[in-house]
Amino acid sequence: MFKRIGRYWRVLATGLSFLAFGIGGLLLRIVVFPLLQLVVWERAARVTAARAILRLTFRGFVGLMRGLGVLRYEFIGLEKLERGGLLILANHPSLIDTVFLMAFVKRADCIVKSHLWNNPFTRGPVRAAGYISNDSGEQLVEACIASLRAGNNLIIFPEGTRTPAGGAISLKRGAANIAVRGARAVTPVVIDCQPPTLGKGDKWWRVPDRFVQFRLEVKDDIEIGAFVGAGVSEVMAVRHLTDHLQRFFTGEYQGHA
């Protein structure tokens, strides 16, 4: 009976957490960021302030979920993310992976899907923070490289979507393209979520029988020197780097399974 009561509580707590997330996003859009625009006129300073506000907001959301008993987490190697201009690539097992990384990475930038760019709860924050829309077309890669050169830490999930329930990781070439063309090392973050929750196709109310444990580990940088140079074309370098990252993340996922 206690196990059943615990599960019912986590369903309620998860619903309360997402309700708070939605209300928070709406308040940021209609109150906080309009005030920020009035107080801070210079766009670059305003974007920096907006990103700092979002980082604290995401940190609060993670803390809320932990306080309500929905999840626990550990972040290993977080000090490696204290640098600037990092190209951070992570696997994507859960809906809230983005929240975790945005909560703990300073000067974080990311690529935002078009439906979030236009969602009434999220469009205010993501536009105020100057994140990169995936509607940028051919300019998307250049916008990402420019962000890195400006000292931002760019967070990308190279799968492009959450990992399917079977755990088969399939990487797209966009992230490797940014690394090769921008001459940037890759800083990989391996995310493990046990038991699995909020995965692709999962309903938020289908919570596991126990609280969820997240483990986020920042691995050593993957230098791109081995994939470029010596007459290797950009196309081949991108392909080889993508294959390497595919094996890396697949191996790490299987290692934690």
Side-chain angles (χ1 to χ4, degrees):
M1 184 180 70
F2 290 109
K3 185 177 180 180
R4 183 179 300 175
I5 292 174
R7 188 173 186 278
Y8 288 156
W9 166 252
R10 285 192 299 279
V11 172
L12 175 61
T14 301
L16 290 173
S17 297
F18 283 111
L19 178 62
F21 188 87
I23 293 174
L26 192 58
L27 289 175
L28 287 174
R29 178 193 170 192
I30 65 177
V31 178
V32 177
F33 291 134
L35 286 175
L36 183 65
Q37 191 162 8
L38 290 175
V39 174
V40 183
W41 291 3
E42 204 274 316
R43 186 181 184 278
R46 191 166 62 246
V47 167
T48 298
R51 291 180 179 181
I53 291 170
L54 284 175
R55 180 169 175 263
L56 293 175
T57 302
F58 288 143
R59 183 75 71 94
F61 177 71
V62 170
L64 175 64
M65 296 193 80
R66 182 174 62 177
L68 291 174
V70 176
L71 56 81
R72 296 179 185 173
Y73 67 87
E74 61 175 334
F75 216 130
I76 302 169
L78 183 60
E79 69 280 356
K80 297 176 184 177
L81 302 181
E82 292 293 326
R83 299 166 290 166
L86 298 176
L87 176 56
I88 301 170
L89 305 187
N91 60 312
H92 201 0
S94 171
L95 177 65
I96 59 174
D97 302 328
T98 307
V99 174
F100 268 110
L101 289 177
M102 299 296 284
F104 289 94
V105 176
K106 297 177 181 177
R107 297 196 65 180
D109 198 358
C110 64
I111 300 173
V112 178
K113 293 182 178 180
S114 58
H115 74 273
L116 294 176
W117 195 261
N118 298 306
N119 184 292
F121 294 101
T122 58
R123 70 185 183 191
V126 299
R127 294 186 184 196
Y131 295 143
I132 302 168
S133 171
N134 69 347
D135 283 343
S136 303
E138 296 180 358
Q139 290 75 40
L140 178 60
V141 173
E142 293 302 324
C144 290
I145 294 173
S147 180
L148 291 167
R149 288 175 178 167
N152 297 314
N153 293 316
L154 182 63
I155 299 170
I156 296 180
F157 297 95
E159 294 172 84
T161 186
R162 279 171 282 172
T163 308
I169 293 175
S170 178
L171 268 57
K172 303 184 184 303
R173 295 182 183 177
N177 199 15
I178 294 167
V180 170
R181 290 177 57 182
R184 291 280 166 168
V186 169
T187 303
V189 178
V190 177
I191 303 175
D192 184 48
C193 172
Q194 297 298 331
T197 188
L198 298 174
K200 189 173 184 179
D202 288 348
K203 305 298 183 183
W204 68 264
W205 60 84
R206 296 187 184 278
V207 303
D209 291 333
R210 60 180 176 86
F211 69 84
V212 177
Q213 176 73 42
F214 277 85
R215 184 178 187 274
L216 302 92
E217 183 173 2
V218 186
K219 297 291 187 175
D220 292 336
D221 289 354
I222 299 174
E223 302 292 340
I224 65 166
F227 305 95
V228 299
V232 178
S233 68
E234 281 190 352
V235 173
M236 292 304 299
V238 168
R239 181 179 300 175
H240 292 159
L241 179 56
T242 301
D243 290 343
H244 178 81
L245 293 170
Q246 173 80 40
R247 292 191 297 270
F248 175 86
F249 280 108
T250 299
E252 290 292 337
Y253 178 87
Q254 292 174 345
H256 286 100

PDB file of all heavy atoms in Angstrom, residues 37-61:
ATOM      1  N   GLN A  37      13.499  44.486 -20.300  1.00  0.00           N
ATOM      2  CA  GLN A  37      13.677  45.277 -21.513  1.00  0.00           C
ATOM      3  C   GLN A  37      13.598  46.776 -21.226  1.00  0.00           C
ATOM      4  O   GLN A  37      14.275  47.580 -21.873  1.00  0.00           O
ATOM      5  CB  GLN A  37      12.616  44.882 -22.548  1.00  0.00           C
ATOM      6  CG  GLN A  37      12.891  45.450 -23.928  1.00  0.00           C
ATOM      7  CD  GLN A  37      12.119  44.712 -25.012  1.00  0.00           C
ATOM      8  OE1 GLN A  37      11.275  43.876 -24.719  1.00  0.00           O
ATOM      9  NE2 GLN A  37      12.411  45.024 -26.260  1.00  0.00           N
ATOM     10  N   LEU A  38      12.798  47.144 -20.235  1.00  0.00           N
ATOM     11  CA  LEU A  38      12.697  48.551 -19.861  1.00  0.00           C
ATOM     12  C   LEU A  38      13.933  49.030 -19.103  1.00  0.00           C
ATOM     13  O   LEU A  38      14.361  50.176 -19.250  1.00  0.00           O
ATOM     14  CB  LEU A  38      11.449  48.768 -18.994  1.00  0.00           C
ATOM     15  CG  LEU A  38      10.090  48.654 -19.685  1.00  0.00           C
ATOM     16  CD1 LEU A  38       8.981  48.766 -18.653  1.00  0.00           C
ATOM     17  CD2 LEU A  38       9.935  49.728 -20.759  1.00  0.00           C
ATOM     18  N   VAL A  39      14.502  48.144 -18.302  1.00  0.00           N
ATOM     19  CA  VAL A  39      15.623  48.525 -17.441  1.00  0.00           C
ATOM     20  C   VAL A  39      16.956  48.437 -18.166  1.00  0.00           C
ATOM     21  O   VAL A  39      17.822  49.310 -18.006  1.00  0.00           O
ATOM     22  CB  VAL A  39      15.632  47.635 -16.176  1.00  0.00           C
ATOM     23  CG1 VAL A  39      16.875  47.919 -15.328  1.00  0.00           C
ATOM     24  CG2 VAL A  39      14.374  47.852 -15.360  1.00  0.00           C
ATOM     25  N   VAL A  40      17.125  47.399 -18.982  1.00  0.00           N
ATOM     26  CA  VAL A  40      18.404  47.178 -19.676  1.00  0.00           C
ATOM     27  C   VAL A  40      18.194  47.439 -21.161  1.00  0.00           C
ATOM     28  O   VAL A  40      17.560  46.645 -21.854  1.00  0.00           O
ATOM     29  CB  VAL A  40      18.922  45.742 -19.440  1.00  0.00           C
ATOM     30  CG1 VAL A  40      20.288  45.565 -20.104  1.00  0.00           C
ATOM     31  CG2 VAL A  40      18.994  45.437 -17.955  1.00  0.00           C
ATOM     32  N   TRP A  41      18.724  48.516 -21.655  1.00  0.00           N
ATOM     33  CA  TRP A  41      18.494  48.904 -23.047  1.00  0.00           C
ATOM     34  C   TRP A  41      19.442  48.212 -24.021  1.00  0.00           C
ATOM     35  O   TRP A  41      19.076  47.929 -25.152  1.00  0.00           O
ATOM     36  CB  TRP A  41      18.633  50.422 -23.196  1.00  0.00           C
ATOM     37  CG  TRP A  41      17.526  51.186 -22.523  1.00  0.00           C
ATOM     38  CD1 TRP A  41      16.500  50.659 -21.783  1.00  0.00           C
ATOM     39  CD2 TRP A  41      17.314  52.597 -22.563  1.00  0.00           C
ATOM     40  NE1 TRP A  41      15.665  51.651 -21.343  1.00  0.00           N
ATOM     41  CE2 TRP A  41      16.138  52.868 -21.807  1.00  0.00           C
ATOM     42  CE3 TRP A  41      17.992  53.655 -23.143  1.00  0.00           C
ATOM     43  CZ2 TRP A  41      15.647  54.146 -21.627  1.00  0.00           C
ATOM     44  CZ3 TRP A  41      17.489  54.939 -22.955  1.00  0.00           C
ATOM     45  CH2 TRP A  41      16.327  55.182 -22.216  1.00  0.00           C
ATOM     46  N   GLU A  42      20.652  47.967 -23.585  1.00  0.00           N
ATOM     47  CA  GLU A  42      21.658  47.383 -24.484  1.00  0.00           C
ATOM     48  C   GLU A  42      21.369  45.900 -24.657  1.00  0.00           C
ATOM     49  O   GLU A  42      21.273  45.150 -23.683  1.00  0.00           O
ATOM     50  CB  GLU A  42      23.052  47.596 -23.883  1.00  0.00           C
ATOM     51  CG  GLU A  42      24.166  47.580 -24.915  1.00  0.00           C
ATOM     52  CD  GLU A  42      24.652  46.169 -25.184  1.00  0.00           C
ATOM     53  OE1 GLU A  42      24.834  45.427 -24.220  1.00  0.00           O
ATOM     54  OE2 GLU A  42      24.840  45.830 -26.360  1.00  0.00           O
ATOM     55  N   ARG A  43      21.233  45.458 -25.929  1.00  0.00           N
ATOM     56  CA  ARG A  43      20.740  44.110 -26.195  1.00  0.00           C
ATOM     57  C   ARG A  43      21.650  43.030 -25.632  1.00  0.00           C
ATOM     58  O   ARG A  43      21.181  42.049 -25.042  1.00  0.00           O
ATOM     59  CB  ARG A  43      20.558  43.888 -27.700  1.00  0.00           C
ATOM     60  CG  ARG A  43      19.913  42.533 -28.012  1.00  0.00           C
ATOM     61  CD  ARG A  43      19.731  42.277 -29.489  1.00  0.00           C
ATOM     62  NE  ARG A  43      19.038  41.025 -29.711  1.00  0.00           N
ATOM     63  CZ  ARG A  43      19.638  39.837 -29.692  1.00  0.00           C
ATOM     64  NH1 ARG A  43      20.942  39.751 -29.443  1.00  0.00           N
ATOM     65  NH2 ARG A  43      18.934  38.732 -29.906  1.00  0.00           N
ATOM     66  N   ALA A  44      22.961  43.158 -25.827  1.00  0.00           N
ATOM     67  CA  ALA A  44      23.879  42.117 -25.363  1.00  0.00           C
ATOM     68  C   ALA A  44      23.783  41.941 -23.853  1.00  0.00           C
ATOM     69  O   ALA A  44      23.749  40.813 -23.341  1.00  0.00           O
ATOM     70  CB  ALA A  44      25.315  42.457 -25.776  1.00  0.00           C
ATOM     71  N   ALA A  45      23.726  43.048 -23.118  1.00  0.00           N
ATOM     72  CA  ALA A  45      23.598  42.977 -21.663  1.00  0.00           C
ATOM     73  C   ALA A  45      22.252  42.377 -21.266  1.00  0.00           C
ATOM     74  O   ALA A  45      22.149  41.632 -20.280  1.00  0.00           O
ATOM     75  CB  ALA A  45      23.759  44.359 -21.050  1.00  0.00           C
ATOM     76  N   ARG A  46      21.213  42.693 -22.040  1.00  0.00           N
ATOM     77  CA  ARG A  46      19.884  42.162 -21.747  1.00  0.00           C
ATOM     78  C   ARG A  46      19.836  40.646 -21.962  1.00  0.00           C
ATOM     79  O   ARG A  46      19.234  39.907 -21.170  1.00  0.00           O
ATOM     80  CB  ARG A  46      18.845  42.861 -22.621  1.00  0.00           C
ATOM     81  CG  ARG A  46      17.409  42.568 -22.214  1.00  0.00           C
ATOM     82  CD  ARG A  46      16.432  43.521 -22.872  1.00  0.00           C
ATOM     83  NE  ARG A  46      16.433  43.424 -24.314  1.00  0.00           N
ATOM     84  CZ  ARG A  46      16.830  44.402 -25.140  1.00  0.00           C
ATOM     85  NH1 ARG A  46      17.266  45.537 -24.645  1.00  0.00           N
ATOM     86  NH2 ARG A  46      16.793  44.242 -26.445  1.00  0.00           N
ATOM     87  N   VAL A  47      20.465  40.176 -23.029  1.00  0.00           N
ATOM     88  CA  VAL A  47      20.521  38.734 -23.294  1.00  0.00           C
ATOM     89  C   VAL A  47      21.284  38.016 -22.189  1.00  0.00           C
ATOM     90  O   VAL A  47      20.867  36.951 -21.712  1.00  0.00           O
ATOM     91  CB  VAL A  47      21.171  38.466 -24.669  1.00  0.00           C
ATOM     92  CG1 VAL A  47      21.535  36.989 -24.824  1.00  0.00           C
ATOM     93  CG2 VAL A  47      20.224  38.885 -25.792  1.00  0.00           C
ATOM     94  N   THR A  48      22.408  38.592 -21.768  1.00  0.00           N
ATOM     95  CA  THR A  48      23.193  37.991 -20.687  1.00  0.00           C
ATOM     96  C   THR A  48      22.372  37.888 -19.411  1.00  0.00           C
ATOM     97  O   THR A  48      22.377  36.856 -18.719  1.00  0.00           O
ATOM     98  CB  THR A  48      24.463  38.823 -20.417  1.00  0.00           C
ATOM     99  OG1 THR A  48      25.275  38.834 -21.600  1.00  0.00           O
ATOM    100  CG2 THR A  48      25.267  38.235 -19.266  1.00  0.00           C
ATOM    101  N   ALA A  49      21.643  38.954 -19.089  1.00  0.00           N
ATOM    102  CA  ALA A  49      20.798  38.955 -17.890  1.00  0.00           C
ATOM    103  C   ALA A  49      19.669  37.935 -18.012  1.00  0.00           C
ATOM    104  O   ALA A  49      19.345  37.220 -17.049  1.00  0.00           O
ATOM    105  CB  ALA A  49      20.232  40.348 -17.656  1.00  0.00           C
ATOM    106  N   ALA A  50      19.060  37.851 -19.200  1.00  0.00           N
ATOM    107  CA  ALA A  50      17.963  36.906 -19.412  1.00  0.00           C
ATOM    108  C   ALA A  50      18.441  35.470 -19.248  1.00  0.00           C
ATOM    109  O   ALA A  50      17.748  34.629 -18.646  1.00  0.00           O
ATOM    110  CB  ALA A  50      17.365  37.105 -20.803  1.00  0.00           C
ATOM    111  N   ARG A  51      19.630  35.177 -19.755  1.00  0.00           N
ATOM    112  CA  ARG A  51      20.161  33.816 -19.621  1.00  0.00           C
ATOM    113  C   ARG A  51      20.474  33.490 -18.170  1.00  0.00           C
ATOM    114  O   ARG A  51      20.274  32.347 -17.723  1.00  0.00           O
ATOM    115  CB  ARG A  51      21.400  33.655 -20.501  1.00  0.00           C
ATOM    116  CG  ARG A  51      21.072  33.663 -21.993  1.00  0.00           C
ATOM    117  CD  ARG A  51      22.303  33.492 -22.858  1.00  0.00           C
ATOM    118  NE  ARG A  51      21.927  33.487 -24.272  1.00  0.00           N
ATOM    119  CZ  ARG A  51      22.784  33.337 -25.285  1.00  0.00           C
ATOM    120  NH1 ARG A  51      24.083  33.183 -25.019  1.00  0.00           N
ATOM    121  NH2 ARG A  51      22.348  33.348 -26.529  1.00  0.00           N
ATOM    122  N   ALA A  52      20.957  34.456 -17.429  1.00  0.00           N
ATOM    123  CA  ALA A  52      21.227  34.234 -16.008  1.00  0.00           C
ATOM    124  C   ALA A  52      19.929  33.972 -15.249  1.00  0.00           C
ATOM    125  O   ALA A  52      19.869  33.096 -14.374  1.00  0.00           O
ATOM    126  CB  ALA A  52      21.956  35.440 -15.422  1.00  0.00           C
ATOM    127  N   ILE A  53      18.876  34.705 -15.585  1.00  0.00           N
ATOM    128  CA  ILE A  53      17.573  34.507 -14.945  1.00  0.00           C
ATOM    129  C   ILE A  53      17.042  33.110 -15.254  1.00  0.00           C
ATOM    130  O   ILE A  53      16.533  32.402 -14.369  1.00  0.00           O
ATOM    131  CB  ILE A  53      16.578  35.585 -15.405  1.00  0.00           C
ATOM    132  CG1 ILE A  53      16.978  36.950 -14.845  1.00  0.00           C
ATOM    133  CG2 ILE A  53      15.155  35.229 -14.983  1.00  0.00           C
ATOM    134  CD1 ILE A  53      16.200  38.103 -15.437  1.00  0.00           C
ATOM    135  N   LEU A  54      17.159  32.691 -16.510  1.00  0.00           N
ATOM    136  CA  LEU A  54      16.677  31.366 -16.890  1.00  0.00           C
ATOM    137  C   LEU A  54      17.470  30.268 -16.198  1.00  0.00           C
ATOM    138  O   LEU A  54      16.916  29.246 -15.789  1.00  0.00           O
ATOM    139  CB  LEU A  54      16.757  31.202 -18.408  1.00  0.00           C
ATOM    140  CG  LEU A  54      15.673  31.930 -19.203  1.00  0.00           C
ATOM    141  CD1 LEU A  54      15.914  31.796 -20.697  1.00  0.00           C
ATOM    142  CD2 LEU A  54      14.294  31.376 -18.845  1.00  0.00           C
ATOM    143  N   ARG A  55      18.773  30.477 -16.062  1.00  0.00           N
ATOM    144  CA  ARG A  55      19.603  29.481 -15.375  1.00  0.00           C
ATOM    145  C   ARG A  55      19.135  29.293 -13.935  1.00  0.00           C
ATOM    146  O   ARG A  55      18.995  28.164 -13.458  1.00  0.00           O
ATOM    147  CB  ARG A  55      21.073  29.915 -15.408  1.00  0.00           C
ATOM    148  CG  ARG A  55      22.024  28.946 -14.724  1.00  0.00           C
ATOM    149  CD  ARG A  55      23.468  29.329 -15.043  1.00  0.00           C
ATOM    150  NE  ARG A  55      24.397  28.493 -14.318  1.00  0.00           N
ATOM    151  CZ  ARG A  55      24.981  28.838 -13.165  1.00  0.00           C
ATOM    152  NH1 ARG A  55      24.744  30.026 -12.635  1.00  0.00           N
ATOM    153  NH2 ARG A  55      25.814  28.018 -12.556  1.00  0.00           N
ATOM    154  N   LEU A  56      18.872  30.381 -13.249  1.00  0.00           N
ATOM    155  CA  LEU A  56      18.378  30.294 -11.881  1.00  0.00           C
ATOM    156  C   LEU A  56      16.975  29.677 -11.831  1.00  0.00           C
ATOM    157  O   LEU A  56      16.651  28.916 -10.912  1.00  0.00           O
ATOM    158  CB  LEU A  56      18.361  31.684 -11.247  1.00  0.00           C
ATOM    159  CG  LEU A  56      19.733  32.326 -11.004  1.00  0.00           C
ATOM    160  CD1 LEU A  56      19.569  33.761 -10.495  1.00  0.00           C
ATOM    161  CD2 LEU A  56      20.549  31.505 -10.011  1.00  0.00           C
ATOM    162  N   THR A  57      16.155  29.992 -12.831  1.00  0.00           N
ATOM    163  CA  THR A  57      14.808  29.429 -12.890  1.00  0.00           C
ATOM    164  C   THR A  57      14.859  27.920 -13.083  1.00  0.00           C
ATOM    165  O   THR A  57      14.148  27.165 -12.397  1.00  0.00           O
ATOM    166  CB  THR A  57      14.009  30.071 -14.036  1.00  0.00           C
ATOM    167  OG1 THR A  57      13.942  31.489 -13.844  1.00  0.00           O
ATOM    168  CG2 THR A  57      12.597  29.505 -14.102  1.00  0.00           C
ATOM    169  N   PHE A  58      15.703  27.467 -14.010  1.00  0.00           N
ATOM    170  CA  PHE A  58      15.847  26.028 -14.245  1.00  0.00           C
ATOM    171  C   PHE A  58      16.422  25.328 -13.016  1.00  0.00           C
ATOM    172  O   PHE A  58      16.032  24.209 -12.681  1.00  0.00           O
ATOM    173  CB  PHE A  58      16.729  25.766 -15.464  1.00  0.00           C
ATOM    174  CG  PHE A  58      16.079  26.108 -16.773  1.00  0.00           C
ATOM    175  CD1 PHE A  58      16.813  26.662 -17.815  1.00  0.00           C
ATOM    176  CD2 PHE A  58      14.733  25.876 -16.983  1.00  0.00           C
ATOM    177  CE1 PHE A  58      16.223  26.985 -19.027  1.00  0.00           C
ATOM    178  CE2 PHE A  58      14.125  26.187 -18.196  1.00  0.00           C
ATOM    179  CZ  PHE A  58      14.878  26.742 -19.216  1.00  0.00           C
ATOM    180  N   ARG A  59      17.378  25.994 -12.357  1.00  0.00           N
ATOM    181  CA  ARG A  59      17.933  25.410 -11.138  1.00  0.00           C
ATOM    182  C   ARG A  59      16.833  25.253 -10.082  1.00  0.00           C
ATOM    183  O   ARG A  59      16.783  24.255  -9.361  1.00  0.00           O
ATOM    184  CB  ARG A  59      19.065  26.298 -10.611  1.00  0.00           C
ATOM    185  CG  ARG A  59      19.786  25.755  -9.375  1.00  0.00           C
ATOM    186  CD  ARG A  59      20.715  24.616  -9.725  1.00  0.00           C
ATOM    187  NE  ARG A  59      21.875  25.082 -10.455  1.00  0.00           N
ATOM    188  CZ  ARG A  59      23.040  25.404  -9.897  1.00  0.00           C
ATOM    189  NH1 ARG A  59      23.181  25.343  -8.582  1.00  0.00           N
ATOM    190  NH2 ARG A  59      24.067  25.770 -10.643  1.00  0.00           N
ATOM    191  N   GLY A  60      15.962  26.252  -9.998  1.00  0.00           N
ATOM    192  CA  GLY A  60      14.846  26.170  -9.063  1.00  0.00           C
ATOM    193  C   GLY A  60      13.886  25.047  -9.407  1.00  0.00           C
ATOM    194  O   GLY A  60      13.363  24.360  -8.519  1.00  0.00           O
ATOM    195  N   PHE A  61      13.639  24.829 -10.709  1.00  0.00           N
ATOM    196  CA  PHE A  61      12.737  23.770 -11.138  1.00  0.00           C
ATOM    197  C   PHE A  61      13.298  22.400 -10.783  1.00  0.00           C
ATOM    198  O   PHE A  61      12.580  21.523 -10.275  1.00  0.00           O
ATOM    199  CB  PHE A  61      12.508  23.878 -12.648  1.00  0.00           C
ATOM    200  CG  PHE A  61      11.635  22.791 -13.217  1.00  0.00           C
ATOM    201  CD1 PHE A  61      10.282  22.755 -12.942  1.00  0.00           C
ATOM    202  CD2 PHE A  61      12.164  21.805 -14.031  1.00  0.00           C
ATOM    203  CE1 PHE A  61       9.463  21.756 -13.459  1.00  0.00           C
ATOM    204  CE2 PHE A  61      11.372  20.807 -14.560  1.00  0.00           C
ATOM    205  CZ  PHE A  61      10.013  20.778 -14.271  1.00  0.00           C
TER     206      PHE A  61
END
